[in-house]
Amino acid sequence: MNDRAGPKRPGAQNARDGDTELRILDAARRVFIRRGTAGARMQEIAAEAGVNQALLHYYFRSKDRLAATVFAEAAFRVVPAIADLLGSSATIEEKVERFVHLYIDAVRQSPFLPGYLVAELHQQPKRLTAMLEAAGPGARAAVGTIRRKLGRQLRDAAAAGTIRPIAPEQFFVNMIALCVIPFLARPLLGALLGMDARAFDDFLDQRRAELPGFIIRGLRS
Amino acid sequence: MNDRAGPKRPGAQNARDGDTELRILDAARRVFIRRGTAGARMQEIAAEAGVNQALLHYYFRSKDRLAATVFAEAAFRVVPAIADLLGSSATIEEKVERFVHLYIDAVRQSPFLPGYLVAELHQQPKRLTAMLEAAGPGARAAVGTIRRKLGRQLRDAAAAGTIRPIAPEQFFVNMIALCVIPFLARPLLGALLGMDARAFDDFLDQRRAELPGFIIRGLRS
DNA sequence: GTCTATATTGTGATAGAC
DNA sequence: GTCTATCACAATATAGAC
């Protein structure tokens, strides 16, 4: 993916079970996600990967590169599926329902990802900009295409009287907001409402079921 | 509020303009909010307050205490107004409209607060728990009271056929989500959609106007 | 109360043996 | 490729003069 100066991988064969680089990356993911880039310690990552600190630098050269790798991976994990869905030819109602299910089911697998991403985006907004430029003009172009297509669909539906007029950005942001909020508010829900893991799970199930209807009624005229 | 071992304030009279402690706290707020607790540097805070690093320790003893002070202040800034509103005797429709306006207008004054809070909550979930315990049982009791009252109101409205049945937690979380998301997603909106300060402002105005209707229609049966 | 050192530890990164 | 040892500097915190 990105040029790593470090190792040439001929017939990499390790003392331990699998691929060391991967074990390091896995550990880095976990540590960065829960501590944030600034709060993470190379030592903690090394310990969690079962190797020593020097190896992290051997494979990833610096903390900053390792952090950038983890961030880029995380940022682009959910995007493709969402983009496909929103750009598809399904009706608005279908898109809403599928989006809610797709998103909640996906993020449930990594419930701390949204908190991590919001924190990073907030604390280092330039990283994303840099990443997008590095990704070339294709990325932004793709966003623009989907936005126009979705906007057209929403206009047509409004003209047909199915829904009220709404800007595609507002529509999209509304869906994201309603789906992602439980994960961002997880600590609050726990502390304030005494919600434990089980209760949180029920809360998510309920949302998954109710949200599509709530959104679609909100769109109707 | 919390016991600071440091200064006894008899007739504090400074070389500079105003109260030094306040200037430090202001600077700390700004720095912690944009860098996060882990990423903030005492040196940067000192520079931004126009004093030297030793004074920070004189007034706040340690970075951790300073961070805790800033966090507690931030966490309890918006809460009281929201609690009053939700516990009031207004109708659901009135509450929705007032909440949206109140919340967006308030957070607009400090647009980086939500990102900071989410980051801190995510990276140090224990801080909130500790704070709540320190605040005594009154805090949680107040939450419980409001939740029950709001729940009753929602049940009554549902029984009367005005709205669909909905749990008070879901109702509340929906409103928060839709109001707070623009601030959390601000970096994304900028990078992906090319939204500048002006466009973001328009985006907020549009939401402020459309959100109440969207939510209320979503609640209706 | 406020400053200039300075102590002390934490932390990313490198050298070099194996 | 992986380790141990260590460097170099960043960062919190304290001592003590004014």
Side-chain angles (χ1 to χ4, degrees), chain A residues 59-86:
Chain A
Y59 280 103
F60 295 94
R61 184 140 197 91
S62 75
K63 178 185 177 184
D64 195 66
R65 274 169 182 271
L66 184 50
T69 304
V70 168
F71 177 76
E73 261 193 39
F76 286 131
R77 176 130 24 128
V78 199
V79 173
I82 291 181
D84 287 354
L85 173 56
L86 289 179

Side-chain angles (χ1 to χ4, degrees), chain A residues 129-141:
Chain A
T129 312
M131 258 181 52
L132 278 178
E133 286 175 3
R140 284 189 212 242

Side-chain angles (χ1 to χ4, degrees), chain A residues 14 20 52 59:
Chain A
N14 258 358
T20 304
N52 64 74
Y59 280 103

